[in-house]
Coordinates of all heavy atoms in Angstrom, one line a residue:
M1 N 224.2 175.2 180.8 CA 223.6 173.8 180.6 C 224.2 172.9 181.7 O 225.4 173.0 182.0 CB 224.0 173.3 179.2 CG 223.2 172.1 178.8 SD 223.6 171.6 177.2 CE 224.9 170.5 177.5
A2 N 223.3 172.1 182.3 CA 223.8 171.2 183.3 C 224.6 170.1 182.7 O 224.2 169.5 181.7 CB 222.5 170.6 184.0
V3 N 225.7 169.8 183.4 CA 226.6 168.7 182.9 C 226.7 167.7 184.0 O 226.9 168.0 185.1 CB 228.0 169.3 182.5 CG1 228.9 168.2 182.1 CG2 227.8 170.3 181.5
P4 N 226.6 166.4 183.6 CA 226.7 165.3 184.6 C 228.1 165.3 185.2 O 229.1 165.4 184.5 CB 226.4 164.1 183.9 CG 226.4 164.4 182.5 CD 226.2 165.8 182.3
K5 N 228.2 165.2 186.6 CA 229.5 165.2 187.3 C 230.2 164.0 187.1 O 231.5 164.0 186.9 CB 229.2 165.5 188.8 CG 230.5 165.8 189.5 CD 230.1 166.3 191.0 CE 231.3 166.8 191.7 NZ 231.0 167.2 193.1
K6 N 229.5 162.8 187.1 CA 230.2 161.5 186.9 C 229.5 160.8 185.8 O 228.3 160.9 185.6 CB 230.1 160.7 188.2 CG 230.9 161.3 189.4 CD 231.5 160.2 190.2 CE 232.6 160.8 191.1 NZ 232.0 161.2 192.4
R7 N 230.2 159.9 185.2 CA 229.6 159.1 184.1 C 228.7 158.0 184.8 O 229.1 157.5 185.8 CB 230.7 158.6 183.2 CG 230.9 157.1 183.2 CD 232.0 156.7 182.4 NE 231.9 155.3 182.0 CZ 232.6 154.7 181.1 NH1 233.5 155.3 180.4 NH2 232.3 153.5 180.8
T8 N 227.7 157.6 184.1 CA 226.8 156.5 184.6 C 227.4 155.2 184.2 O 227.7 154.9 183.1 CB 225.4 156.6 184.0 OG1 224.9 158.0 184.1 CG2 224.4 155.7 184.7
S9 N 227.6 154.3 185.2 CA 228.2 153.0 185.0 C 227.3 152.1 184.3 O 226.1 152.3 184.3 CB 228.6 152.4 186.3 OG 227.5 152.0 187.0
K10 N 227.8 151.1 183.6 CA 227.0 150.2 182.9 C 225.9 149.5 183.8 O 224.8 149.3 183.4 CB 227.8 149.1 182.2 CG 228.4 149.5 180.9 CD 229.1 148.3 180.3 CE 229.8 148.7 179.0 NZ 230.7 147.7 178.5
T11 N 226.4 149.1 185.0 CA 225.5 148.5 185.9 C 224.3 149.4 186.3 O 223.2 148.9 186.3 CB 226.3 148.1 187.2 OG1 227.4 147.3 186.8 CG2 225.4 147.3 188.2
R12 N 224.6 150.6 186.6 CA 223.6 151.6 187.0 C 222.6 151.8 185.8 O 221.4 151.8 186.0 CB 224.2 152.9 187.4 CG 223.3 153.7 188.2 CD 224.1 154.7 189.1 NE 223.3 155.3 190.1 CZ 222.8 154.8 191.1 NH1 223.1 153.5 191.4 NH2 222.1 155.4 192.0
Q13 N 223.1 151.9 184.6 CA 222.3 152.1 183.4 C 221.4 150.9 183.2 O 220.2 151.1 182.9 CB 223.3 152.2 182.2 CG 222.7 152.8 181.0 CD 223.8 153.0 179.9 OE1 224.6 152.1 179.8 NE2 223.8 154.0 179.2
L14 N 221.9 149.7 183.3 CA 221.1 148.5 183.1 C 220.1 148.3 184.2 O 219.0 147.9 183.9 CB 222.1 147.3 183.0 CG 222.9 147.2 181.8 CD1 223.9 146.0 181.9 CD2 222.1 147.0 180.5
K15 N 220.5 148.7 185.4 CA 219.5 148.6 186.5 C 218.3 149.5 186.3 O 217.2 149.2 186.5 CB 220.1 149.0 187.8 CG 220.8 147.9 188.6 CD 221.4 148.4 189.9 CE 222.2 147.3 190.6 NZ 222.8 147.9 191.8
R16 N 218.6 150.7 185.8 CA 217.6 151.7 185.5 C 216.7 151.2 184.4 O 215.4 151.2 184.5 CB 218.2 153.0 185.1 CG 217.1 154.1 184.9 CD 217.8 155.5 184.6 NE 218.6 155.5 183.4 CZ 219.9 155.8 183.3 NH1 220.6 156.1 184.4 NH2 220.5 155.8 182.1
R17 N 217.3 150.6 183.3 CA 216.5 150.2 182.2 C 215.8 148.9 182.4 O 214.9 148.5 181.6 CB 217.4 150.0 181.0 CG 217.9 151.4 180.5 CD 218.7 151.3 179.3 NE 219.3 152.6 178.9 CZ 220.3 152.8 178.1 NH1 220.9 151.8 177.5 NH2 220.8 154.0 177.8
S18 N 216.1 148.1 183.5 CA 215.5 146.9 183.8 C 214.0 147.2 184.1 O 213.2 146.2 184.1 CB 216.2 146.1 184.9 OG 215.9 146.7 186.1
Q19 N 213.6 148.4 184.5 CA 212.3 148.8 184.9 C 211.4 149.2 183.7 O 210.3 149.5 183.8 CB 212.3 149.8 186.0 CG 213.0 149.4 187.3 CD 212.4 148.1 187.8 OE1 211.2 148.0 188.0 NE2 213.3 147.2 188.2
I20 N 212.1 149.3 182.6 CA 211.3 149.8 181.4 C 210.8 148.6 180.6 O 211.6 148.0 179.9 CB 212.3 150.7 180.5 CG1 212.8 151.9 181.3 CG2 211.5 151.2 179.3 CD1 213.9 152.6 180.6
F21 N 209.5 148.4 180.7 CA 208.9 147.3 179.9 C 207.4 147.5 179.9 O 206.9 148.2 180.7 CB 209.3 145.9 180.5 CG 209.0 145.8 181.9 CD1 207.7 145.4 182.4 CD2 210.0 146.0 182.9 CE1 207.5 145.3 183.7 CE2 209.7 145.9 184.2 CZ 208.5 145.5 184.7
L22 N 206.8 146.9 179.0 CA 205.3 146.9 178.9 C 204.7 145.8 179.6 O 205.2 144.7 179.7 CB 204.9 146.9 177.4 CG 205.2 148.1 176.5 CD1 204.9 147.7 175.1 CD2 204.5 149.3 177.0
E23 N 203.5 146.1 180.2 CA 202.8 145.1 181.0 C 201.6 144.7 180.1 O 201.0 145.5 179.5 CB 202.3 145.5 182.3 CG 203.4 145.5 183.4 CD 202.9 146.0 184.7 OE1 201.8 145.6 185.1 OE2 203.6 146.7 185.4
P24 N 201.2 143.4 180.2 CA 200.0 143.0 179.5 C 198.7 143.7 180.1 O 198.7 143.9 181.3 CB 199.9 141.5 179.6 CG 200.7 141.2 180.8 CD 201.8 142.3 180.9
P25 N 197.7 144.0 179.3 CA 196.5 144.7 179.9 C 195.8 143.7 180.8 O 195.7 142.5 180.6 CB 195.7 145.0 178.6 CG 196.2 144.1 177.6 CD 197.6 143.8 177.9
P26 N 195.1 144.3 181.9 CA 194.4 143.4 182.8 C 193.1 143.0 182.1 O 192.2 143.8 182.0 CB 194.1 144.3 184.0 CG 194.2 145.7 183.4 CD 195.1 145.7 182.2
L27 N 192.9 141.7 181.7 CA 191.8 141.3 181.0 C 190.8 140.6 182.0 O 191.1 140.0 183.0 CB 192.2 140.2 180.0 CG 193.0 140.8 178.8 CD1 193.5 139.6 178.0 CD2 192.3 141.8 178.0
T28 N 189.5 140.8 181.7 CA 188.4 140.1 182.4 C 187.6 139.3 181.4 O 187.8 139.5 180.2 CB 187.5 141.1 183.1 OG1 186.9 142.0 182.1 CG2 188.2 141.9 184.2
S29 N 186.7 138.5 181.8 CA 186.0 137.7 180.9 C 184.6 138.3 180.7 O 184.0 138.8 181.7 CB 185.9 136.2 181.3 OG 185.3 136.1 182.5
C30 N 184.0 138.2 179.5 CA 182.7 138.7 179.2 C 181.6 137.9 180.0 O 181.7 136.7 180.0 CB 182.4 138.7 177.7 SG 180.7 139.1 177.3
Q31 N 180.6 138.6 180.6 CA 179.6 137.9 181.3 C 178.7 137.1 180.4 O 178.1 136.1 180.8 CB 178.7 138.9 182.1 CG 179.4 139.4 183.3 CD 178.6 140.4 184.1 OE1 177.5 140.7 183.7 NE2 179.1 140.9 185.2
N32 N 178.6 137.5 179.1 CA 177.7 136.9 178.2 C 178.4 135.7 177.4 O 177.9 134.6 177.4 CB 177.1 137.9 177.2 CG 176.1 137.3 176.3 OD1 175.2 136.6 176.7 ND2 176.3 137.5 175.0
C33 N 179.5 136.0 176.8 CA 180.1 135.0 175.9 C 181.4 134.4 176.5 O 181.8 133.4 176.0 CB 180.4 135.6 174.5 SG 181.7 136.8 174.5
G34 N 181.9 135.0 177.6 CA 183.0 134.4 178.3 C 184.4 134.6 177.7 O 185.4 134.1 178.2
R35 N 184.4 135.4 176.6 CA 185.7 135.7 176.0 C 186.5 136.8 176.7 O 185.8 137.6 177.5 CB 185.5 136.1 174.5 CG 185.3 134.9 173.6 CD 185.3 135.3 172.2 NE 183.9 135.3 171.7 CZ 183.6 135.2 170.4 NH1 184.5 135.1 169.5 NH2 182.3 135.3 170.1
E36 N 187.8 136.8 176.6 CA 188.6 137.8 177.3 C 188.4 139.2 176.7 O 188.6 139.4 175.5 CB 190.1 137.4 177.3 CG 190.4 136.3 178.3 CD 191.9 136.2 178.5 OE1 192.6 136.5 177.5 OE2 192.3 135.8 179.6
I37 N 188.1 140.2 177.6 CA 187.9 141.6 177.1 C 188.5 142.5 178.1 O 188.9 142.1 179.2 CB 186.3 141.9 177.0 CG1 185.6 141.6 178.3 CG2 185.7 141.1 175.9 CD1 184.3 142.3 178.4
L38 N 188.7 143.8 177.7 CA 189.1 144.8 178.6 C 188.1 145.2 179.5 O 186.9 145.3 179.1 CB 189.6 146.0 177.8 CG 190.9 145.9 176.9 CD1 191.0 147.0 176.0 CD2 192.1 145.8 177.8
P39 N 188.4 145.5 180.8 CA 187.3 145.9 181.8 C 186.7 147.2 181.5 O 187.4 148.1 180.9 CB 188.1 145.9 183.1 CG 189.5 146.1 182.8 CD 189.7 145.4 181.4
H40 N 185.5 147.4 181.9 CA 184.7 148.6 181.7 C 184.5 149.0 180.2 O 184.4 150.2 179.9 CB 185.3 149.8 182.5 CG 185.6 149.5 183.9 ND1 184.6 149.3 184.8 CD2 186.8 149.3 184.6 CE1 185.2 149.0 186.0 NE2 186.4 149.0 185.9
R41 N 184.4 148.0 179.4 CA 184.2 148.2 178.0 C 183.1 147.3 177.5 O 183.0 146.2 178.0 CB 185.4 148.1 177.2 CG 186.3 149.3 177.2 CD 187.7 149.0 176.8 NE 188.6 150.1 177.0 CZ 189.2 150.5 178.1 NH1 189.0 149.8 179.2 NH2 190.1 151.5 178.2
I42 N 182.4 147.7 176.4 CA 181.4 146.8 175.8 C 182.2 145.7 175.1 O 183.3 145.9 174.6 CB 180.7 147.6 174.7 CG1 179.9 148.7 175.3 CG2 179.7 146.7 173.9 CD1 179.3 149.7 174.3
C43 N 181.7 144.5 175.2 CA 182.3 143.3 174.6 C 182.4 143.5 173.1 O 181.3 143.7 172.5 CB 181.6 142.0 175.0 SG 182.3 140.6 174.2
P44 N 183.5 143.5 172.5 CA 183.6 143.6 171.0 C 183.1 142.4 170.2 O 183.0 142.5 169.0 CB 185.1 143.9 170.8 CG 185.8 143.2 171.9 CD 184.9 143.3 173.1
F45 N 182.9 141.3 170.9 CA 182.4 140.1 170.2 C 180.9 140.0 170.2 O 180.3 139.6 169.2 CB 183.1 138.8 170.9 CG 184.5 138.9 170.9 CD1 185.2 139.2 172.1 CD2 185.3 138.7 169.8 CE1 186.6 139.3 172.2 CE2 186.7 138.8 169.8 CZ 187.3 139.1 171.0
C46 N 180.2 140.3 171.3 CA 178.8 140.1 171.4 C 178.0 141.4 171.7 O 176.8 141.4 171.5 CB 178.4 139.1 172.4 SG 178.9 139.6 174.1
G47 N 178.7 142.5 172.0 CA 178.0 143.8 172.2 C 177.4 144.0 173.5 O 176.5 144.8 173.7
Y48 N 177.7 143.1 174.5 CA 177.0 143.1 175.8 C 177.9 144.0 176.8 O 179.1 144.0 176.7 CB 176.9 141.7 176.4 CG 175.6 141.1 176.0 CD1 175.3 140.7 174.7 CD2 174.6 140.8 177.0 CE1 174.1 140.1 174.3 CE2 173.4 140.2 176.6 CZ 173.2 139.8 175.3 OH 172.0 139.2 175.0
Y49 N 177.2 144.6 177.8 CA 177.9 145.2 178.8 C 177.0 145.1 180.1 O 175.8 145.4 180.0 CB 178.2 146.7 178.6 CG 179.0 147.4 179.7 CD1 180.3 147.0 179.9 CD2 178.4 148.3 180.5 CE1 181.1 147.6 180.9 CE2 179.1 148.9 181.6 CZ 180.5 148.5 181.7 OH 181.2 149.1 182.7
K50 N 177.5 144.6 181.2 CA 176.8 144.4 182.4 C 175.5 143.6 182.2 O 174.4 143.9 182.7 CB 176.4 145.7 183.1 CG 177.6 146.3 183.9 CD 177.2 147.4 184.8 CE 178.3 147.8 185.7 NZ 177.9 148.9 186.5
G51 N 175.6 142.6 181.3 CA 174.5 141.7 181.0 C 173.4 142.2 180.2 O 172.3 141.6 180.0
R52 N 173.6 143.4 179.5 CA 172.6 144.0 178.6 C 173.2 144.1 177.2 O 174.4 144.4 177.1 CB 172.1 145.3 179.2 CG 171.3 145.3 180.4 CD 170.6 146.6 180.7 NE 171.6 147.7 180.7 CZ 171.3 148.9 180.2 NH1 170.2 149.1 179.6 NH2 172.2 149.9 180.2
I53 N 172.4 144.1 176.2 CA 172.8 144.3 174.9 C 173.0 145.9 174.7 O 172.1 146.6 175.0 CB 171.9 143.8 173.8 CG1 171.7 142.3 173.8 CG2 172.3 144.3 172.4 CD1 170.7 141.8 172.8
I54 N 174.2 146.3 174.3 CA 174.4 147.7 174.1 C 174.5 148.0 172.6 O 173.8 148.8 172.0 CB 175.7 148.2 174.8 CG1 175.7 147.9 176.2 CG2 175.9 149.7 174.6 CD1 174.7 148.5 177.1
V55 N 175.3 147.2 171.9 CA 175.4 147.2 170.5 C 174.9 145.9 169.9 O 175.5 144.9 170.3 CB 176.8 147.5 170.0 CG1 176.9 147.6 168.5 CG2 177.3 148.8 170.6
D56 N 173.9 145.9 169.1 CA 173.4 144.6 168.6 C 174.1 144.3 167.3 O 173.6 144.7 166.2 CB 171.9 144.7 168.4 CG 171.2 143.3 168.3 OD1 172.0 142.3 168.3 OD2 170.0 143.2 168.4
F57 N 175.2 143.6 167.4 CA 176.0 143.2 166.2 C 175.2 142.2 165.4 O 175.3 142.2 164.1 CB 177.3 142.5 166.6 CG 178.3 143.5 167.3 CD1 178.8 143.1 168.5 CD2 178.6 144.7 166.7 CE1 179.7 144.0 169.1 CE2 179.5 145.5 167.3 CZ 180.1 145.2 168.5
L58 N 174.4 141.4 166.0 CA 173.7 140.3 165.3 C 172.7 140.9 164.3 O 172.4 140.3 163.2 CB 173.0 139.4 166.3 CG 173.9 138.5 167.1 CD1 173.1 137.6 168.1 CD2 174.8 137.6 166.3
E59 N 172.1 142.1 164.7 CA 171.1 142.7 163.8 C 171.7 143.2 162.5 O 171.0 143.1 161.5 CB 170.5 143.8 164.5 CG 169.0 144.1 164.1 CD 168.4 145.1 165.1 OE1 168.7 146.3 164.9 OE2 167.6 144.7 165.9
K60 N 173.0 143.6 162.6 CA 173.6 144.1 161.4 C 174.1 143.0 160.4 O 174.3 143.3 159.3 CB 174.8 145.0 161.8 CG 174.4 146.3 162.4 CD 175.7 147.0 163.0 CE 175.2 148.2 163.8 NZ 176.3 148.8 164.5
L61 N 174.3 141.8 161.0 CA 174.8 140.7 160.1 C 173.7 140.2 159.2 O 172.5 140.4 159.5 CB 175.3 139.6 161.0 CG 176.5 139.9 162.0 CD1 176.7 138.7 162.8 CD2 177.8 140.2 161.2
S62 N 174.2 139.5 158.2 CA 173.2 138.8 157.3 C 172.6 137.6 158.0 O 173.1 137.2 159.0 CB 173.9 138.4 156.0 OG 174.7 137.3 156.3
K63 N 171.5 137.1 157.5 CA 170.8 136.0 158.1 C 171.7 134.8 158.3 O 171.7 134.2 159.4 CB 169.6 135.6 157.2 CG 168.5 135.0 158.0 CD 167.3 134.7 157.2 CE 166.2 134.0 157.9 NZ 165.1 133.6 157.0
K64 N 172.5 134.5 157.4 CA 173.4 133.3 157.4 C 174.5 133.5 158.5 O 174.7 132.6 159.3 CB 174.1 133.1 156.1 CG 174.4 131.7 155.8 CD 175.0 131.6 154.4 CE 175.3 130.1 154.0 NZ 175.8 130.1 152.6
E65 N 175.1 134.7 158.6 CA 176.1 134.9 159.6 C 175.5 134.9 161.0 O 176.1 134.5 161.9 CB 176.7 136.3 159.3 CG 177.7 136.3 158.1 CD 178.2 137.7 157.8 OE1 177.3 138.6 157.7 OE2 179.3 137.9 157.5
R66 N 174.2 135.5 161.1 CA 173.5 135.5 162.4 C 173.3 134.1 163.0 O 173.6 133.9 164.1 CB 172.2 136.2 162.2 CG 171.7 136.9 163.4 CD 170.4 137.6 163.1 NE 170.5 138.5 162.0 CZ 169.4 138.9 161.3 NH1 168.2 138.5 161.5 NH2 169.6 139.7 160.3
K67 N 172.9 133.2 162.1 CA 172.7 131.8 162.5 C 174.0 131.2 163.0 O 174.0 130.5 164.0 CB 172.2 131.0 161.3 CG 171.2 129.9 161.7 CD 170.6 129.3 160.5 CE 169.6 128.2 160.8 NZ 169.0 127.6 159.6
K68 N 175.1 131.5 162.3 CA 176.4 130.9 162.7 C 176.9 131.4 164.0 O 177.3 130.7 164.9 CB 177.4 131.3 161.6 CG 178.6 130.5 161.6 CD 179.5 130.9 160.4 CE 181.0 130.6 160.6 NZ 181.8 131.3 159.7
E69 N 176.7 132.8 164.3 CA 177.1 133.4 165.5 C 176.3 132.8 166.7 O 176.8 132.5 167.8 CB 176.9 134.9 165.5 CG 178.1 135.7 164.9 CD 179.2 135.7 165.9 OE1 179.0 136.0 167.1 OE2 180.3 135.6 165.4
K70 N 175.0 132.6 166.5 CA 174.1 132.1 167.5 C 174.5 130.7 167.9 O 174.6 130.4 169.1 CB 172.7 132.1 167.0 CG 171.6 132.4 168.1 CD 170.2 132.5 167.5 CE 169.2 133.0 168.5 NZ 167.9 133.0 167.9
K71 N 174.9 129.9 166.9 CA 175.3 128.6 167.2 C 176.6 128.6 168.0 O 176.7 127.8 169.0 CB 175.5 127.9 165.8 CG 174.9 126.5 165.8 CD 175.2 125.9 164.4 CE 174.3 124.6 164.2 NZ 174.5 124.1 162.9
E72 N 177.5 129.5 167.6 CA 178.8 129.5 168.3 C 178.6 129.9 169.8 O 179.3 129.3 170.6 CB 179.7 130.6 167.6 CG 180.8 130.0 166.9 CD 181.6 131.1 166.1 OE1 182.0 132.1 166.7 OE2 181.9 130.8 164.9
S73 N 177.7 130.9 170.1 CA 177.6 131.4 171.4 C 176.9 130.3 172.3 O 177.1 130.2 173.5 CB 176.8 132.7 171.5 OG 175.5 132.5 171.0
E74 N 176.0 129.5 171.6 CA 175.3 128.4 172.3 C 176.3 127.3 172.8 O 176.1 126.7 173.8 CB 174.2 127.9 171.5 CG 172.9 128.6 171.7 CD 171.8 128.2 170.7 OE1 172.0 127.1 170.0 OE2 170.8 128.9 170.6
V75 N 177.3 127.1 171.9 CA 178.3 126.1 172.2 C 179.1 126.5 173.4 O 179.4 125.7 174.3 CB 179.2 125.8 171.0 CG1 180.4 125.0 171.4 CG2 178.4 125.1 169.9
K76 N 179.4 127.8 173.5 CA 180.3 128.3 174.5 C 179.6 128.4 175.9 O 180.2 128.0 176.9 CB 180.9 129.7 174.2 CG 182.2 129.5 173.5 CD 182.7 130.7 172.8 CE 183.8 130.2 171.9 NZ 183.9 131.0 170.7
N77 N 178.3 128.8 176.0 CA 177.6 128.8 177.2 C 176.2 128.1 177.0 O 175.3 128.8 176.6 CB 177.5 130.1 177.9 CG 177.6 131.3 177.0 OD1 178.6 131.5 176.4 ND2 176.5 132.0 176.9
P78 N 176.1 126.9 177.3 CA 174.8 126.2 177.1 C 173.8 126.5 178.1 O 174.1 127.1 179.1 CB 175.2 124.7 177.2 CG 176.5 124.6 177.9 CD 177.2 125.9 177.7
Ligands
ZN101 ZN1 180.8 138.9 175.0

Protein backbone atom coordinates (compact mmCIF):
# COMPACT_ATOMS: atom_id res chain seq x y z
CA MET A 1 0.00 0.00 0.00
CA ALA A 2 1.28 3.47 -0.83
CA VAL A 3 2.12 5.55 2.19
CA PRO A 4 2.54 9.35 2.08
CA LYS A 5 6.18 10.36 2.61
CA LYS A 6 5.37 13.68 4.27
CA ARG A 7 2.32 14.92 6.12
CA THR A 8 0.16 17.54 4.35
CA SER A 9 0.42 20.92 6.06
CA LYS A 10 -2.72 22.79 7.09
CA THR A 11 -1.98 25.51 4.55
CA ARG A 12 -1.64 23.04 1.70
CA GLN A 13 -4.84 21.26 2.75
CA LEU A 14 -6.79 24.51 2.93
CA LYS A 15 -5.39 25.69 -0.41
CA ARG A 16 -6.53 22.46 -2.03
CA ARG A 17 -9.99 22.65 -0.46
CA SER A 18 -10.44 26.29 -1.41
CA GLN A 19 -11.19 25.04 -4.96
CA ILE A 20 -14.00 22.74 -3.81
CA PHE A 21 -17.31 24.58 -4.15
CA LEU A 22 -20.49 24.56 -6.20
CA GLU A 23 -21.15 27.12 -8.90
CA PRO A 24 -24.60 28.50 -9.66
CA PRO A 25 -26.09 27.16 -12.92
CA PRO A 26 -25.76 29.39 -16.01
CA LEU A 27 -29.27 30.79 -16.42
CA THR A 28 -30.80 32.41 -19.49
CA SER A 29 -34.14 34.13 -19.84
CA CYS A 30 -37.14 32.61 -21.63
CA GLN A 31 -37.91 34.22 -25.02
CA ASN A 32 -41.64 33.99 -24.35
CA CYS A 33 -42.20 34.83 -20.66
CA GLY A 34 -38.79 36.26 -19.73
CA ARG A 35 -38.30 34.18 -16.60
CA GLU A 36 -34.91 32.67 -15.76
CA ILE A 37 -34.52 29.11 -17.12
CA LEU A 38 -31.74 26.62 -17.80
CA PRO A 39 -30.35 26.87 -21.36
CA HIS A 40 -31.36 24.29 -24.04
CA ARG A 41 -34.45 23.28 -22.11
CA ILE A 42 -38.19 23.82 -22.48
CA CYS A 43 -39.39 26.64 -20.24
CA PRO A 44 -41.03 24.99 -17.19
CA PHE A 45 -43.34 28.00 -16.74
CA CYS A 46 -44.85 28.45 -20.22
CA GLY A 47 -43.75 25.34 -22.20
CA TYR A 48 -42.02 27.30 -24.97
CA TYR A 49 -38.72 26.48 -26.65
CA LYS A 50 -37.15 28.60 -29.43
CA GLY A 51 -40.36 30.63 -29.69
CA ARG A 52 -42.66 27.62 -30.24
CA ILE A 53 -45.08 25.87 -27.89
CA ILE A 54 -43.69 22.42 -27.08
CA VAL A 55 -45.78 21.54 -24.02
CA ASP A 56 -49.11 23.31 -23.78
CA PHE A 57 -49.51 23.73 -20.03
CA LEU A 58 -52.44 26.08 -20.48
CA GLU A 59 -54.52 23.39 -22.18
CA LYS A 60 -54.19 21.11 -19.15
CA LEU A 61 -55.25 23.79 -16.65
CA SER A 62 -58.84 24.51 -15.74
CA LYS A 63 -60.60 27.48 -17.32
CA LYS A 64 -60.11 29.70 -14.27
CA GLU A 65 -56.41 28.95 -13.94
CA ARG A 66 -55.92 29.47 -17.69
CA LYS A 67 -57.40 32.97 -17.48
CA LYS A 68 -55.12 33.81 -14.55
CA GLU A 69 -51.97 32.56 -16.36
CA LYS A 70 -52.86 34.51 -19.50
CA LYS A 71 -53.28 37.67 -17.51
CA GLU A 72 -49.93 37.14 -15.76
CA SER A 73 -48.01 36.62 -19.01
CA GLU A 74 -49.62 39.72 -20.55
CA VAL A 75 -48.45 41.82 -17.61
CA LYS A 76 -44.86 40.57 -18.05
CA ASN A 77 -44.60 41.18 -21.84
CA PRO A 78 -47.23 43.59 -23.20
ZN1 LIG B 1 -41.28 30.86 -20.52
